[in-house]
Every structure is written in structure tokens, then in C-alpha cells.
Amino acid sequence: MMKSLPLLCILTLFMFGPENCSSKKTALQSKSLELGFKPEATDLASNFYSLTALADKKEANLRLEKKNLVGVYFMPSWNLSADPNQDIDSFWACLTGKENCGHLNNTEMWGPKGRIYNAQNPYEGPFLERKPHPSLKGFYKRNDPEVAKKQLEYMKNYGIDFFAYDWFFGRHYYYHLNFAPQANTYYPSGWKTDPARAGRVEVPGIEQWNEQLTVLLSENEKLPEDKQMKWAINWVDDNGEKWMNWLDIGSPQSIAAGRNYEGEVPDKQLFLKVHDKITQLWIDKYFNRKDYLKDESGRPIVYFYFPQDMETKAAYYGISMKELLDRSKAMAQKAGYKGIKFIAAAAGAMTERERIYALPTNWKATNQKEPWKGGNFINKMLLQEYVPRLKGMGFEGMTAYLYHTYMDKDNRSYSDMRTNYKSHWQKWSEMFKNDPNFEYQIPVAMGWDMRPMGGTWPQTTGFPSEPYKDNVHSTKSTFKAKLLEAQKFSEKYKSSNGNTVMICCWNEYLEGNHIEPTEGHGFDYLEAIKEVFVKEN
């Protein structure tokens, strides 16, 4: 998952409106998740109906038992075009060529010339083997309901129990509720607006890139309840550019342009109001849905991608992560829930020589009087220093999106990745094995290859810094072997870890980490999941 917000998306929002911008364990453990027909255990000699059912092999094979709950991350795409009549999908544009690929042209990532290709660093695309399977209409439209329904069916039929949708929120976006294109943008009931300015909202911020989530949920609720997928939010708050845009709310330029609500400045009070708005949005739109993932007590589960990204921003205002998460939990309790279960998706550097790339815990402005001009992330911690803090921060579990290293060992092949993942599983499972109130959900990934976005990792020189990490390619057999290893660890530490296995990812096409059926690998990865986690009796 990359950390960039295309400028075109921002321009589009202001030109045309936001619609044009793109426990421990019993419920999760679910001792026997049944999919399909389950014959009653009766005396076959005396029960004609049971005899008939068992005689039908097709019916008998529908009895499926799950020992693990399997989740998968879902990454949305968005429109790169500022023209409301044109759609340039952020995924497909980069798979089919480099000319329209917004990531390659991003000067924040690659420097003033964007990604540079030359004789020594040739372009290796297009990456057409990643084209989605014909049953998904190839390079599909992100809001196609037929595709969304097929995606849900594939997840369900191949043993995936829920998806964690990578959920983005731009806290700096303002809008006007009396302006038709923006009228349906979420805003908490009863919150202040300015009627003299077409209902300009007092508290800014919108969901981003939720087109796919909207259509997925719409199609999901049309399905019979036993066919529906469960889902959860994976909150991603990882964009430095968005943070600067937030701080710019208080710049002289913004004030002079008249964009601000009366008295609007990006201070601690407004930061907390936006956080409350985010939580209220979850409560109003998502937590009350039958298909939302909850623990055994009925608490909604929220995954939190890279907690350090939020911690740094809160720390700038002297707010701790625990204060923020407790604030959200209290709001959920007021709404009738027993709180919220937050699970951190954490990863990062683990060696002293890489501390410069480690997990920061604060952000400091270069000039405190002009924070919109920039600053630095400070007080960096290695992963093994950061993880023991998570419980005190209000989290009740941990997993990962993707591990690139373990200590000083890089993922240079899928074999390396399997070895490094097992090291992580061992370390964190052992760390939390005696804690009944904090779980480690075993993560798995099918690979990594970021060449469609320019390579690992972008530098402002125009070249990737560690391109050798883009060779982490699996096959059905090696991926299945990794799943079996994950299942073994999950079973060994079930009393503390629970039984959830998190897979990355359904559709991270630009990072080469996608199990969705494609022309290149077909249904291999879904078949591997089903062969490991769904047992036919």
C-alpha cells in the first residue's frame, strides 16, 4: 500500500465535489464455521431421510468445517483524471503502461522528473499477466455491481470469511451540503454548517476511495444472509501529503482565499472534532450493518494500518493514542455497543542501522509558527520496541499487512519471505502467549513486486532504492506451503492468538500481492486457500 494522494484527485474535489474523487476469540474463532449443508448425526438404519441425504454425494460434500477464520485485505483504486467524464483507473493505468500511471509521475515520490527509465534501468512493463480473470470482466470498472457480486462469491466459495477494506479519510476536505453534487456527503446529524455559504460544514473531512466499498456492501446485502461476506474497516492514515494539506488549513494563503469556516484553524480542538466525526461515521454508516465483523461480545472490530502514522499526528497536539482510541470506544458505547476492538497492523525496521526508517512517535514542525511549511517525524522506534507499547495504546491485538524484513534479513525471494514470516510469527506469538487479552493474528502474503509503481522503494533521484525486493514471487504450491505453516502456528498458539489468519491481499495489483483471479495465475491462490482451510468430510 503506497502513501500518495494524486494532486488531480484534490483538484477534482474542489472543482466538482467529492463524489468525483475517487475476541479473544470466540466469535472470531468460531469453532465450526459451516458453509452449506450439514447432515444431522442420526441412526441411518432407522432414518430414511438421513440415509437419502448421505446417499447423495453432492450433498454430503457440502459439509465443510473451518478451523481458522480467514481474512483478506482489500485495496481500492481511484480515478486519476480531473475530467469528470473520463476515468483513468489508478490500478489499470499502471498495469497497461507508464504514460498515464499517476504513481510514476508523482514528483513527491520520484523527484522533479518522476520515475526515470534508461538503458541501465529499463521499463519492464506492461504487466498484463495481472489483468483480472475474464469472469471479472478483465480490467473492470471499480463500481461495477456484477464484478462486486462475483468478488464476494469467490471469497465466500473459496474459504475467505471476511475482508478488511483499506479505508482512507481526508481530514482536510471541506464541502457544502446545500451544493447538489456534495449534498449526500456524510455529515453527522445536527452538526453545524454555514447556511450563508451553501451549508459549508464546520468540521471538514470525507471518506476517500470508497466507491468499491459502496458497491460491495450494496451487493452483499442482496445475498442470502448465509452467503454474505463479513467485512471490517482497515483504517489507513498514512499519507504525509494529506497531513500537510490539513495543516495548510491555517496558512495565510488559505485564510486569504476565504476557504475557511469562520474561526477554522487546524488546532487540537478541530483535530479531535474530526476524529469524532470519523467515529460517528463508522457508527452511523457501518457498525449497525449485519455484515460488519464483530467479536463475541458484539463489539465492532477495526483494523488500524500503521498506528505510528496516527500517533505522530496526535502527539503533535499532545494527545496520546490511548486517548484517541478510548474516545472512539466511548462514543461506540454511547451508541449502544460495548466498545470497539482495535487491532494494529504493524511492521517496520528492526536493526539499529535502519533506525532512520523506524517507526516515529511524534511530528515536529520546522517552524512552530508555520507548521504548514513542513517538519520531521521524530522519536523513532524499532518494531520490537514499538510493539510492546500497543496494548497500552488501547489495542487488543496485532497483525501485519506485509513484512519486508526480519532483523537484517530481507525478502529477496519467496523462500526468504517464508523464513522471515515464520520468524515474526514465532517472536510475536511467544511475546503474547501468556496474555489472554491481546491476540496476534497470523499474517500471510502471496508476494511482492512493486515494479508497476516504479519499484521498491521510491527515491527523489527517480530510481528505486531496493529493487531486489521486487522478486518475491510465489506459486500455488509455495503459497499453499506458507498457508499450511501459518495454520500450524495458529493452532500451536490458539489459546492466545485465536485462530484468525490475515492474508495480504485480495487486489494489491501494483504491489504484486493479489490473490484475486487473474489471467496470469488463474484461481491458483484461491484454490490454495480452500485446500488448506476448507476441509471436505
Side-chain angles (χ1 to χ4, degrees):
M1 187 189 303
M2 284 301 295
K3 306 182 178 183
S4 62
L5 176 65
L7 180 59
L8 289 176
C9 184
I10 300 172
L11 293 174
T12 301
L13 176 75
F14 293 112
M15 292 172 64
F16 304 105
E19 286 74 17
N20 291 311
C21 204
S22 55
S23 232
K24 200 162 229 161
K25 319 178 192 86
T26 311
L28 286 181
Q29 286 169 321
S30 201
K31 294 182 180 178
S32 178
L33 283 176
E34 302 293 336
L35 304 177
F37 175 76
K38 181 178 180 180
E40 297 293 328
T42 56
D43 183 354
L44 299 182
S46 60
N47 192 314
F48 170 79
Y49 296 104
S50 293
L51 181 61
T52 303
L54 289 177
D56 188 334
K57 291 183 179 181
K58 184 177 180 180
E59 289 290 319
N61 285 337
L62 287 175
R63 180 178 179 180
L64 307 173
E65 291 187 356
K66 297 286 295 297
K67 291 184 178 180
N68 294 95
L69 194 66
V70 180
V72 64
Y73 296 105
F74 190 109
M75 174 66 186
S77 64
W78 59 90
N79 184 12
L80 295 173
S81 175
D83 182 351
N85 299 312
Q86 182 184 30
D87 189 285
I88 300 176
D89 191 278
S90 59
F91 284 177
W92 315 144
C94 295
L95 295 187
T96 56
K98 57 182 171 42
E99 289 72 25
N100 291 324
C101 180
H103 297 289
L104 301 181
N105 301 322
N106 189 319
T107 56
E108 291 287 330
M109 292 165 54
W110 296 106
K113 296 183 179 180
R115 173 63 161 97
I116 298 172
Y117 293 105
N118 53 30
Q120 289 74 37
N121 297 274
Y123 176 63
E124 299 178 75
F127 302 89
L128 300 182
E129 75 283 355
R130 302 188 192 186
K131 184 178 183 179
H133 191 267
S135 64
L136 293 167
K137 302 185 181 182
F139 293 130
Y140 53 77
K141 293 183 179 181
R142 74 185 72 83
N143 60 351
D144 187 328
E146 293 180 355
V147 173
K149 182 180 180 182
K150 184 63 69 174
Q151 289 171 322
L152 294 166
E153 290 175 348
Y154 284 157
M155 290 182 195
K156 193 73 172 181
N157 293 339
Y158 283 89
I160 296 170
D161 299 294
F162 71 93
F163 63 91
Y165 189 89
D166 296 344
W167 190 84
F168 298 79
F169 190 89
R171 59 170 51 82
H172 60 287
Y173 289 118
Y174 63 81
Y175 51 97
H176 307 75
L177 290 180
N178 299 338
F179 175 53
Q182 301 177 351
N184 293 324
T185 307
Y186 173 82
Y187 196 62
S189 176
W191 285 32
K192 290 183 180 180
T193 63
D194 187 348
R197 297 179 62 193
R200 164 66 154 91
V201 298
E202 179 190 34
V203 182
I206 63 167
E207 290 180 274
Q208 295 177 274
W209 311 330
N210 64 335
E211 291 174 281
Q212 283 160 294
L213 179 60
T214 299
V215 70
L216 282 165
L217 298 187
S218 176
E219 292 304 306
N220 203 37
E221 63 188 9
K222 294 176 185 177
L223 297 171
E225 194 165 335
D226 63 339
K227 300 296 183 183
Q228 292 180 8
M229 285 293 297
K230 294 294 185 179
W231 74 284
I233 287 167
N234 179 36
W235 186 11
V236 184
D237 193 74
D238 70 342
N239 191 285
E241 184 180 349
K242 287 193 294 185
W243 174 239
M244 297 312 301
N245 287 333
W246 158 259
L247 294 174
D248 189 61
I249 291 175
S251 72
Q253 292 80 5
S254 289
I255 295 173
R259 292 191 290 263
N260 300 61
Y261 192 91
E262 185 179 357
E264 182 180 46
V265 291
D267 57 10
K268 177 179 179 178
Q269 183 181 15
L270 188 59
F271 181 85
L272 288 174
K273 283 183 178 179
V274 173
H275 182 81
D276 290 349
K277 179 179 178 178
I278 291 169
T279 305
Q280 194 63 48
L281 185 155
W282 296 345
I283 293 169
D284 291 346
K285 288 186 67 174
Y286 300 133
F287 288 172
N288 61 352
R289 293 181 59 95
K290 291 182 179 180
D291 56 7
Y292 196 88
L293 186 68
K294 299 178 176 70
D295 72 358
E296 74 279 1
S297 70
R299 292 185 303 166
I301 296 171
V302 172
Y303 288 86
F304 209 123
Y305 175 85
F306 279 12
Q308 72 271 14
D309 288 317
M310 174 58 74
E311 181 179 20
T312 56
K313 295 160 190 170
Y316 174 68
Y317 294 111
I319 306 168
S320 71
M321 276 292 286
K322 189 174 189 307
E323 290 178 76
L324 280 185
L325 299 191
D326 284 351
R327 194 178 182 98
S328 293
K329 293 173 185 178
M331 289 182 67
Q333 290 172 340
K334 186 176 181 181
Y337 300 98
K338 293 185 178 180
I340 301 172
K341 181 174 182 177
F342 286 103
I343 299 176
M350 300 183 74
T351 61
E352 195 60 44
R353 64 180 176 84
E354 292 187 307
R355 188 174 288 274
I356 189 174
Y357 307 114
L359 288 65
T361 59
N362 208 333
W363 184 85
K364 183 178 181 180
T366 302
N367 182 343
Q368 189 61 37
K369 294 182 179 180
E370 300 178 316
W372 56 85
K373 291 187 176 181
N376 297 289
F377 293 102
I378 61 174
N379 300 339
K380 297 182 177 180
M381 302 180 110
L382 299 178
L383 183 62
Q384 62 269 33
E385 298 167 343
Y386 195 92
V387 167
R389 301 169 64 243
L390 289 174
K391 186 174 181 180
M393 292 162 65
F395 292 98
E396 296 178 61
M398 181 184 81
T399 187
Y401 202 74
L402 197 135
Y403 295 130
H404 290 280
T405 61
Y406 181 80
M407 300 306 289
D408 60 352
K409 299 175 182 177
D410 295 326
N411 297 339
R412 294 174 180 250
S413 67
Y414 199 67
S415 177
D416 291 338
M417 178 181 264
R418 286 174 60 185
T419 299
N420 287 337
Y421 265 63
K422 283 189 287 186
S423 296
H424 277 285
W425 298 342
Q426 180 71 26
K427 183 174 183 64
W428 311 125
S429 293
E430 283 291 318
M431 177 176 288
F432 299 115
K433 69 178 181 179
N434 296 320
D435 190 340
N437 298 310
F438 193 95
E439 64 180 295
Y440 175 56
Q441 297 183 354
I442 301 292
V444 178
M446 64 79 76
W448 178 265
D449 181 351
M450 210 174 79
R451 287 177 298 158
M453 299 176 71
T456 305
W457 297 102
Q459 298 183 103
T460 53
T461 59
F463 302 103
S465 59
E466 298 177 294
Y468 51 81
K469 290 183 178 178
D470 293 317
N471 296 308
V472 183
H473 300 152
S474 65
T475 63
K476 177 183 178 180
S477 62
T478 57
F479 179 63
K480 181 177 179 179
K482 188 174 182 179
L483 292 175
L484 288 167
E485 293 164 349
Q487 187 183 57
K488 182 178 180 180
F489 262 87
S490 180
E491 182 64 26
K492 179 179 179 181
Y493 293 95
K494 187 174 182 178
S495 61
S496 56
N497 286 357
N499 72 339
T500 300
V501 173
M502 289 298 298
I503 298 175
C504 187
C505 294
W506 179 259
N507 60 339
E508 278 282 18
Y509 284 105
L510 304 188
E511 298 180 354
N513 197 358
H514 50 289
I515 64 171
E516 183 170 70
T518 65
E519 291 191 355
H521 64 234
F523 288 76
D524 285 355
Y525 293 94
L526 293 185
E527 290 172 353
I529 291 170
K530 187 172 184 178
E531 289 168 10
V532 172
F533 294 110
V534 181
K535 307 298 182 182
E536 294 190 10
N537 295 324

